[in-house]
Amino acid sequence: MEIQIVRFKDGLDVISYVEAQTEEVELTDPMMFEISNKNLLLQHWLPVAVMKQNSVKVPRTEILCFMEPNQDFAEYYGSAVS
């Protein structure tokens, strides 16, 4: 799995560990993010308090594209989920 930014067709951006499969994409530890001025805000995308695992499979048809985060953002995300 690698860290990727996933942009959904509805415009939502999520950073996550991604494992691409044939018809689905598995997102592990997905977090929404927002950049305001020079501040970065990360928040859980899934209701982790009531979930067994912080992982979800999403149909490929819902995803617009994948983007590679820069090293600083990937490290910040990695430290936030560990």
Side-chain angles (χ1 to χ4, degrees), residues 1-77:
M1 279 192 279
E2 60 182 314
I3 298 173
Q4 292 283 308
I5 297 170
V6 180
R7 176 160 287 169
F8 289 89
K9 288 183 177 179
D10 67 0
L12 176 70
D13 290 326
V14 172
I15 187 167
S16 179
Y17 289 102
V18 174
E19 183 175 336
Q21 300 167 353
T22 305
E23 294 181 18
E24 297 176 319
V25 176
E26 184 170 0
L27 305 178
T28 302
D29 296 324
M31 298 190 87
M32 294 184 299
F33 64 92
E34 183 178 324
I35 301 169
S36 176
N37 296 324
K38 292 188 178 186
N39 298 319
L40 176 63
L41 173 67
L42 285 174
Q43 62 184 16
H44 290 286
W45 182 50
L46 301 173
V48 294
V50 295
M51 295 178 62
K52 190 172 184 177
Q53 290 182 269
N54 190 6
S55 180
V56 65
K57 291 184 180 181
V58 177
R60 278 188 172 273
T61 56
E62 296 299 315
I63 296 172
L64 180 63
C65 65
F66 298 94
M67 297 168 271
E68 187 174 343
N70 65 34
Q71 185 171 349
D72 289 341
F73 188 27
E75 289 174 3
Y76 181 72
Y77 164 76

